[in-house]
Amino acid sequence: VFEDSLALQFGSGRRTKREALLEIAGLLMLLAAHNRDHIGIVHAQPGGYKLFHPVRGHRAIMQTAAEFMARPAPALDDLRPVATPWKFVTHAAPAHSIIVWLGDFPPRENPPGWLVTRQRYQPVGVRIDDPWDRALPDGRPITAYDPAGRQLVVLDPRSRAHQEGHAAWRAEREACFKRLFPSPLSRLTVMPDESSLEALARFFHAHMRLQTR
């Protein structure tokens, strides 16, 4: 499940959160092709979603991956909500499937029926954290474009109100992410300029160590 919200189009460095998340999605599809797994994709965007039906085999998965990667990013002036069809996902996927949810994960309530989803499937959350998500930039005030609010905002690292507001938002965002995925082995956070391959390798190695105990 790729939740393509406008917030993913932010990036304070060399690439956006969306670009980094797409790279991870591509690596997961390569892994599925290698393991001869079935893989399907729900690409949720403002106003709707595109379903890529489950396929198996290297050629079929690579074709699906190419079609998915070629889909354009949402327009920055499209303020319709991103409504992931969770009711459809939980009825379409076989029991005990691994559901990888890739998105920005802002503070919000859990999707309806999420507890049942966790019991029926193996959900894994993958999130990209921009450096500005973790701390305000140092120095003078900066004017930045907020794609979610479609407006210019001024970030002042010297402002106590801005510092406290950012800290509260970060704590709430982290709490919501942990509520969705209580086990540390069910959630993965990667920085945009971090090696996606190395991050996935560490994640899978942690799972392997747990299984061998």
Side-chain angles (χ1 to χ4, degrees), residues 58-70:
H58 187 272
R59 179 177 296 180
I61 290 178
M62 290 300 98
Q63 181 177 349
T64 296
E67 293 177 6
F68 166 64
M69 296 290 185

Side-chain angles (χ1 to χ4, degrees), residues 24-121:
I24 292 178
L27 290 172
L28 291 173
M29 285 185 274
L30 282 173
L31 180 63
H34 176 75
N35 291 339
R36 298 187 60 79
D37 293 326
H38 284 88
I39 184 168
I41 303 172
V42 175
H43 184 197
Q45 291 186 305
Y49 66 92
K50 165 72 173 177
L51 171 64
F52 295 84
H53 291 281
V55 294
R56 184 182 183 186
H58 187 272
R59 179 177 296 180
I61 290 178
M62 290 300 98
Q63 181 177 349
T64 296
E67 293 177 6
F68 166 64
M69 296 290 185
R71 286 176 59 82
L76 289 177
D77 61 354
D78 190 344
L79 299 184
R80 292 175 296 175
V82 179
T84 302
W86 285 111
K87 185 175 181 180
F88 167 78
V89 172
T90 54
H91 282 82
H96 310 301
S97 296
I98 298 175
I99 296 181
V100 182
W101 181 1
L102 305 100
D104 190 59
F105 296 100
R108 60 183 169 185
E109 296 297 322
N110 289 0
W114 184 248
L115 180 60
V116 176
T117 301
R118 283 177 43 204
Q119 294 171 345
R120 181 177 172 84
Y121 303 102

Side-chain angles (χ1 to χ4, degrees), residues 119-142:
Q119 294 171 345
R120 181 177 172 84
Y121 303 102
Q122 301 177 56
V124 175
V126 182
R127 185 183 77 184
I128 302 295
D129 267 8
D130 187 87
W132 288 17
D133 288 331
R134 299 190 175 185
L136 291 175
D138 295 329
R140 300 173 61 85
I142 294 176

